[in-house]
Amino acid sequence: MSASRLQEEIKKKEPFASAEQEATLNLLRTSDQLHNRFGRLFRKYGLTSSQYNVLRILRGEGKALPSLEIAERMIQVVPAITGLIDRLEKQELVERRRCNDDRRVVFVEITEKGMTLLSEMDQPVSDTHVQLMGHLSKAELQELSRLLEKARMSLAPGKEKEA
Amino acid sequence: MSASRLQEEIKKKEPFASAEQEATLNLLRTSDQLHNRFGRLFRKYGLTSSQYNVLRILRGEGKALPSLEIAERMIQVVPAITGLIDRLEKQELVERRRCNDDRRVVFVEITEKGMTLLSEMDQPVSDTHVQLMGHLSKAELQELSRLLEKARMSLAPGKEKEA
DNA sequence: ATGTATTAGATGACATGTAAATTAAGTGGA
DNA sequence: TCCACTTAATTTACATGTCATCTAATACAT
């Protein structure tokens, strides 16, 4: 049996302890590389990956969202959102608005400037998606999505194993 | 056609622009969640994911490695390695040694203390791998690894598209 | 040998991710 | 009414990841 491609890539001398471990490391490595690649694209427009993500969520929603809603959709811890919104606001890509009904809540909304920036990025982003994953067939892409969704089933919130 | 699971998870209102995009976002999201989960496990032992990674690489190699070698295997940028090694050295889990042949090179080696810590973590880490991915069949895990490796083919260094 | 290019690392500035603690506001019950 | 509890967001402290820049050491060509 020849060594796996991943094993060669990271120059690992021993084979993987399990298929589970190999799949997980493959996943983390592929994701890192994709993240890097998109990060470089976004930087050309003055954004980081997280900032782009927030703008996409806000555009997709079409209206203002509470900070916590945004954090939830990004799998991120709450404290990180504050600074993220701060920087987007400084660039005038989003606006904060205190909610009147519940003054604890801060609504965040994308601005015209933010929408314009996203529009400029749409084509390059779309092109990059195809460039990076287009060599997989539609059937392979669907199967990949299916397997990833299945993988996430054990990761749902609340499924944490207690020590 | 019903909306995809990912589309529901992130409450996206429009369907994905392409199968490429959906697969990529699935990948990034799954990876984030796995990363979070392992991060929490490692933290119980006083390590971050990156620190654990360095120790695993050094144990796998069995001997000292130059800093750049470590960075390369981790997909990471060079500057990050310095601080990473700094903190591991402070915890006495690794040691730095200047190379005599080429005094620019710094070799990093795992210590006894580092090896002992890794040993304690082996079983919990292995258990977590199975816990998180064990609900996929062996065939599915292999197919997942195959698709991820194929996905990385477009990400090889030097394949960057020029602007 | 000498000046240029290259290579290995380190440093500084900044954005991010994490946990723990804090502030402010809303809810409920004695 | 008043206190305990919860919730939304922020703040603080620290590890990380990124880039640009710097230093030291080596390699190479003339």
Side-chain angles (χ1 to χ4, degrees):
Chain A
M1 179 71 85
S2 74
S4 77
R5 174 184 298 274
L6 175 58
Q7 194 182 334
E8 287 173 26
E9 274 182 34
I10 61 180
K11 297 185 184 159
K12 195 172 189 300
K13 291 185 160 37
E14 305 299 322
F16 290 99
S18 66
E20 285 85 356
Q21 188 155 148
E22 177 164 5
T24 300
L25 296 185
N26 256 316
L27 214 162
L28 294 173
R29 186 172 183 85
T30 311
S31 170
D32 268 0
Q33 294 185 2
L34 285 170
H35 189 269
N36 282 353
R37 193 60 72 93
F38 277 100
R40 268 172 282 176
L41 172 61
F42 297 149
R43 204 171 306 117
K44 291 179 190 169
Y45 296 87
L47 293 181
T48 63
S49 293
S50 296
Q51 291 174 351
Y52 176 77
N53 242 303
V54 171
L55 294 182
R56 280 295 294 257
I57 287 170
L58 291 175
R59 181 176 70 175
E61 184 64 20
K63 60 185 198 329
L65 279 178
S67 299
L68 282 195
E69 259 293 307
I70 299 172
E72 213 170 280
R73 298 193 195 184
M74 292 181 71
I75 326 179
Q76 287 185 1
V77 161
V78 182
I81 290 293
T82 300
L84 199 48
I85 305 289
D86 282 348
R87 278 167 231 116
L88 284 171
E89 197 174 29
K90 199 176 300 173
Q91 293 186 65
E92 298 178 358
L93 300 173
V94 305
E95 284 177 357
R96 272 189 173 95
R97 272 203 328 262
R98 216 25 108 158
C99 174
N100 290 326
D101 296 336
D102 184 338
R103 305 244 310 278
R104 291 170 307 181
V105 178
V106 172
F107 276 97
V108 182
E109 189 166 20
I110 189 169
T111 62
E112 270 306 311
K113 185 174 170 189
M115 288 294 285
T116 303
L117 178 58
L118 277 191
S119 306
E120 288 170 22
M121 297 174 70
D122 281 339
Q123 194 59 53
V125 167
S126 175
D127 289 348
T128 302
H129 276 292
V130 172
Q131 182 200 333
L132 297 181
M133 300 291 275
H135 61 297
L136 277 74
S137 70
K138 293 301 170 201
E140 285 177 324
L141 290 170
Q142 283 171 21
E143 178 67 359
L144 180 54
S145 283
R146 184 187 77 80
L147 291 171
L148 291 168
E149 285 170 3
K150 182 165 183 180
R152 280 207 301 284
M153 286 175 21
S154 67
L155 288 158
K159 289 239 176 177
E160 184 93 33
K161 188 186 196 174
E162 297 303 325
Chain B
M1 179 72 86
S2 74
S4 76
R5 173 184 300 275
L6 175 58
Q7 195 182 333
E8 288 172 25
E9 275 182 34
I10 60 180
K11 297 186 183 159
K12 196 172 189 302
K13 291 185 160 36
E14 305 300 320
F16 290 100
S18 66
E20 286 84 359
Q21 189 155 145
E22 177 164 6
T24 300
L25 296 185
N26 256 317
L27 215 161
L28 294 173
R29 186 173 183 85
T30 311
S31 171
D32 268 0
Q33 294 185 2
L34 285 170
H35 189 269
N36 282 352
R37 192 61 71 94
F38 277 100
R40 269 173 280 176
L41 172 61
F42 297 149
R43 205 172 305 118
K44 291 181 190 169
Y45 297 86
L47 294 181
T48 64
S49 293
S50 296
Q51 290 173 352
Y52 176 78
N53 242 302
V54 171
L55 294 183
R56 279 294 295 259
I57 288 171
L58 291 174
R59 181 176 69 174
E61 184 64 21
K63 60 185 197 334
L65 279 179
S67 299
L68 282 195
E69 260 293 307
I70 299 172
E72 213 170 280
R73 298 192 195 186
M74 292 181 70
I75 326 179
Q76 286 185 1
V77 162
V78 181
I81 289 295
T82 301
L84 200 48
I85 305 289
D86 282 347
R87 279 168 229 113
L88 284 170
E89 197 174 29
K90 199 176 300 174
Q91 293 186 65
E92 299 177 357
L93 300 172
V94 305
E95 284 177 355
R96 271 189 173 95
R97 271 203 328 264
R98 214 30 106 157
C99 174
N100 290 326
D101 297 335
D102 185 338
R103 304 244 310 279
R104 291 169 305 180
V105 178
V106 172
F107 276 98
V108 182
E109 189 166 21
I110 189 169
T111 62
E112 269 306 312
K113 186 174 170 188
M115 289 294 285
T116 303
L117 177 59
L118 277 192
S119 306
E120 289 170 21
M121 298 174 71
D122 282 340
Q123 194 59 52
V125 167
S126 175
D127 289 348
T128 302
H129 275 293
V130 173
Q131 182 200 334
L132 296 182
M133 300 291 275
H135 61 296
L136 277 74
S137 70
K138 293 300 170 200
E140 284 177 325
L141 290 170
Q142 283 171 23
E143 178 66 358
L144 180 55
S145 284
R146 184 187 78 80
L147 292 171
L148 291 168
E149 286 169 3
K150 182 165 183 180
R152 278 207 303 284
M153 285 175 21
S154 66
L155 288 158
K159 289 240 177 179
E160 184 94 31
K161 187 187 194 173
E162 297 303 325

